[in-house]
Every structure is written in C-alpha cells, then in structure tokens.
Amino acid sequence: MAELIGTVNGIAWGPVMLVLLLGTGIYLTLGLGFLTLRKLPMGFSLLFRGRSGAGAGDISPFSALMTSLSATIGTGNIAGVATAITLGGPGALFWMWITALFGMATKYAEAVCAVHYREQDSNGQYSGGPMYYIRNGLKAHWHWLAFAFAIFGAFAGFGIANTVQSNSVAQVLNDSYAISPIYTGLTLMVLVGAVVLGGIKRISSVASLLVPLMATSYLLMGVIVIAMNASAVPAAVATIVESAFTGSAAMGGFAGATIWAAIRFGVARGIFSNEAGLGSAPIAHAAARTNEPVEQGMIAMLGTFIDTLIVCSITGLVIVIMDVLPSGVSGASLTSMAFGNAFPGGDIIVTFGLCIFAFTTMIGWSFYGERCVVFLVGTKGVLPFRLAWVLAIPVGTVVQLDLIWLIADTLNAFMAIPNLIALLLLGPMVFKLSREYFQRS
C-alpha cells in the first residue's frame, strides 16, 4: 500500500507539478507587475482596518484571514518544515521561500476570484473558492474541473488537516509524556467537535482569538533562540542556500540529499504549509464582508507571507542552528528537540504550540471540506460531513505517520491541478480587476 501511494506521490509531485505551481506563481507575479511585493504595506494596513468589514459576507476580512491562517499555520510549520529538511536537506527551506514569494501572487489571485465569483447557499451563507470561480468564470467545457476540485477538496482535508494533525500531536505527546495516542485522539475529537458543529462564525471567532496569540508566542520563542545564537545565523543561512543548489548539507555530517529532493520536498512542504495554489484558502476569504475583491486579495496574500516567510523560516533556522539533523529524529519531534536543546523547557513550549496549531488547522479545514460538500450535494450534506470530520480525528492517531504524509501530499496535488488551471485561465480577469481598482483608489 505504502509503495503504491509512494509511486503515485512521486508522479503527482513530479517535474510537471512543480513547473505548474511555480510557473503559475511567476505568471501571476509578472502579470500583476510585482503588486504582491509593492503593495505589502497596504495589505497590512487593510488587515488592521478590516476587523469589521463593509459589504456582503458572513465574517470580517480580518476573521477571514485568521480562519485561513488557522488552517495554514499548523503542523506544517513545525513538523512539515522538519520533515522537508530531513528528506531534502537544509536547502529545502530555500525552495520553501521561493515557493512563498511567488505563492503570494497565487494566493492574491485566488482570493480575488473567490470574492468576485462567490454565491450564497440555501442557508444564506456565502460559498466561494475554486469550484465556484471555475463554474462561474470559465466556459462550460471546463466545469468538470469544478467537480474534480470539490471531490478532492472534500476528501483531502481528512488527510492534510485531520489525520495528519492528530497524528503529529499524538506522536509528540507520546514521545514527550507517554500519553496513549487514542486518549489524544478522543480529547481532540471533543474539542474540535465543540467548535466545528457551530459553523463558520464559531470557527472564525475561535481562530481570531487563538491564531494571533499562538503565532506571536511561537515567533517570539524562535527569535529568542536565534538571538541567543546570533553568531551562528550567517553560517546557517549560507548552508541553507548552498545546499539548495549543491544537494549536500555542510551541517553536522548530514549528507546525501540531492538537489531534486531539496526542490521537491521544499516545494511540496511549502505548499502543504502555506497552501498557495492549493485552492483551500480562498474558500475562507469568500466569506469575508467586503465588496472589493482586490482588497481581500491583498489581505489574503499576507497569509503566505506570514506562514512561510516568517513562521517556517523561524522553525528552519532553529533546526539548522541547533544542529539536530544528525540525530535521525524527524517530524515534530525534531523541532521539539531543537528548541529543547536551545533552552530548558523549549521542547515543552513546542509541544504545546503544536497542539494548538493542529487544533486550529482542524477547525479551519473543516469549513473548507464543508463548502466543497455544499457545492456537490447542497446544504443537506453539512451535518453528515461535520460528524464524519470529528469522528475521523482519533483514527489518525493510530496510523503510521509516513503513510499519512504521503497520502496528504498526493491529495494536495490532486486539489491543486484544477485550481492552477483555473488561475491561469482567469489571470487576465484578475489583472483587469486589479488595474481598475488602483485606477479609482
């Protein structure tokens, strides 16, 4: 089973997919005239002004980003970065950065399309995302892509944001405190269920409270570790950049990672972490109270900037600086070891952070899967999906981690393909809306 999934994964994340992901980001970045970099300060300004929102929608623009970040800032930032560096060497972090720089334009375009083409369901809630901008923005012969995305999206969440998350939490709690995985799974099931069953407004309320708190705390801890080892930072950065192009790592005797492995796992884990191109985040942004797709696009692109260029960079630098790769440990336990070696209690803080990150990812992604189900079968599918989501959580705690990561990676690719095709076709519309907005603003 693992062999078969590994073969499919190798094809799914082969050269064609990497070219499609990076190529779409480059195309959108150039077409927008590097807007995502030039307008970054404006994006933060809109975010801080967007706590209430003006226009149609269910939640504020700020809450939409927090919901999106609740889904993206998860174990990908702790376990995913560690896994990428273990499998692809420190150079994988460099390719995560490259993916994020161009991914900002992808995320911007996704949100612009999501708000522009969104609909209201029979319960009055706003629904948007790739399935809607494919159906409402492209000609009929492309509509099968909308159904393909919705099907993959409804199932992919059970890997990327459900069982992967609970598995990572169970692993680190079992390693650190010998807590039985099934107890971890049942506890998460109860906590997630209490939020998910309340719908998008409860999810966004919890996310708006937890995401800023957890991200700030984790970043502060990482900055402290880096500051304590400031003299090692230049060498760590040099190692990351060098191994991205040489395929070998100079740190601590860890070697053998090829250039292709660095690129493959860097891009794959980068997408796993920030979800740019995956098509998941625009589902949350479509619910924002706004009448300006471009403004929500500028807020959305901050998600990729914060997730990968800030949070993942902190994790990666700490791992390289603390020279824990030769230990042979992988995943969340590697990150925990790095922080634990940096100062007493560091591993405990990482363990707690991982639990919170995983929890918010599970509640955020439940909304993504739910909207995919609504697209496929209508609002009658909401309650069955929510119950299935909650019941799947403890299952993830007793499944082998490597297999779960492979399945999640593969389903990511299957989600990304319809979305990226749509973004390439809708690119001119995104460019037009952007020009019109800045001409009148």
Side-chain angles (χ1 to χ4, degrees):
M1 179 67 174
E3 248 182 66
L4 174 62
I5 296 172
T7 302
V8 174
N9 182 268
I11 297 170
W13 284 109
V16 175
M17 171 57 80
L18 300 190
V19 169
L20 184 59
L21 274 167
L22 292 177
T24 301
I26 292 168
Y27 162 67
L28 293 170
T29 300
L30 294 175
L32 291 165
F34 293 91
L35 178 152
T36 49
L37 300 178
R38 293 186 291 106
K39 300 296 183 181
L40 194 59
M42 185 177 181
F44 279 105
S45 176
L46 288 168
L47 174 63
F48 296 131
R49 298 204 313 261
R51 287 186 172 272
S52 56
D58 299 318
I59 57 179
S60 72
F62 176 84
S63 293
L65 179 63
M66 292 305 107
T67 301
S68 169
L69 281 174
S70 76
T72 55
I73 298 183
T75 57
N77 299 84
I78 294 179
V81 176
T83 304
I85 293 175
T86 301
L87 296 174
L93 182 59
F94 175 86
W95 293 108
M96 290 181 78
W97 293 338
I98 297 300
T99 303
L101 282 173
F102 292 114
M104 288 174 63
T106 307
K107 189 72 72 75
Y108 168 88
E110 288 176 333
V112 170
C113 291
V115 174
H116 187 67
Y117 290 114
R118 65 186 177 179
E119 299 178 4
Q120 279 184 287
D121 64 25
S122 59
N123 290 334
Q125 283 194 319
Y126 279 83
S127 291
M131 54 281 196
Y132 290 95
Y133 52 72
I134 291 171
R135 185 173 69 184
N136 298 331
L138 299 180
K139 293 181 179 179
H141 61 269
W142 291 109
H143 289 185
W144 66 273
L145 288 175
F147 291 95
F149 177 88
I151 291 169
F152 292 134
F155 286 102
F158 285 93
I160 185 177
N162 189 311
T163 51
V164 161
Q165 307 297 324
S166 61
N167 190 293
S168 295
V169 173
Q171 179 197 33
V172 77
L173 288 180
N174 188 51
D175 290 348
S176 302
Y177 307 107
I179 296 175
S180 174
I182 193 62
Y183 292 142
T184 299
L186 292 173
T187 302
L188 284 171
M189 182 180 73
V190 172
L191 294 175
V192 171
V195 179
V196 165
L197 295 176
I200 182 59
K201 292 188 177 178
R202 189 180 299 174
I203 291 170
S204 67
S205 296
V206 173
S208 295
L209 174 67
L210 286 180
V211 170
L213 177 64
M214 72 179 187
T216 302
S217 301
Y218 185 75
L219 287 176
L220 180 61
M221 182 177 69
V223 168
I224 290 172
V225 174
I226 292 170
M228 288 168 56
N229 298 274
S231 61
V233 172
V237 173
T239 296
I240 291 167
V241 175
E242 180 188 346
S243 60
F245 297 98
T246 63
S248 60
M251 295 290 287
F254 174 85
T258 65
I259 297 174
W260 170 243
I263 297 173
R264 177 189 168 189
F265 290 106
V267 174
R269 291 296 187 263
I271 296 302
F272 181 89
S273 175
N274 62 52
E275 298 175 16
L278 200 60
S280 51
I283 299 174
H285 288 287
R289 284 194 296 267
T290 181
N291 293 325
E292 291 287 359
V294 170
E295 289 187 359
Q296 196 60 35
M298 284 190 284
I299 290 174
M301 72 187 188
L302 301 178
T304 300
F305 180 84
I306 293 168
D307 180 274
T308 303
L309 294 175
I310 297 180
V311 182
C312 285
S313 295
I314 292 290
T315 300
L317 281 171
V318 171
I319 289 172
V320 176
I321 287 170
M322 298 311 299
D323 193 18
V324 291
L325 279 173
S327 67
V329 175
S330 183
S333 298
L334 182 68
T335 305
S336 182
M337 177 185 292
F339 278 97
N341 290 353
F343 55 81
D347 54 333
I348 298 173
I349 299 173
V350 170
T351 298
F352 177 74
L354 179 74
C355 295
I356 300 297
F357 282 18
F359 171 74
T360 57
T361 296
M362 284 187 271
I363 64 173
W365 257 87
S366 70
F367 179 68
Y368 297 164
E370 175 187 305
R371 292 297 97 184
C372 288
V373 168
V374 169
F375 179 84
L376 292 169
V377 301
T379 53
K380 64 178 180 292
V382 170
L383 184 58
F385 174 83
R386 290 178 182 175
L387 292 174
W389 184 266
V390 172
L391 292 173
I393 293 170
V395 176
T397 62
V398 294
V399 181
Q400 186 181 355
L401 181 64
D402 291 344
L403 181 61
I404 290 292
W405 277 111
L406 275 175
I407 294 171
D409 264 355
T410 306
L411 289 172
N412 277 5
F414 291 160
M415 280 182 68
I417 292 169
N419 180 53
L420 292 170
I421 292 172
L423 291 177
L424 289 170
L425 294 171
L426 291 171
M429 185 278 299
V430 174
F431 305 152
K432 179 175 178 287
L433 287 178
S434 302
R435 282 196 305 271
E436 291 173 350
Y437 173 83
F438 288 106
Q439 282 171 359
R440 67 175 185 267
S441 63

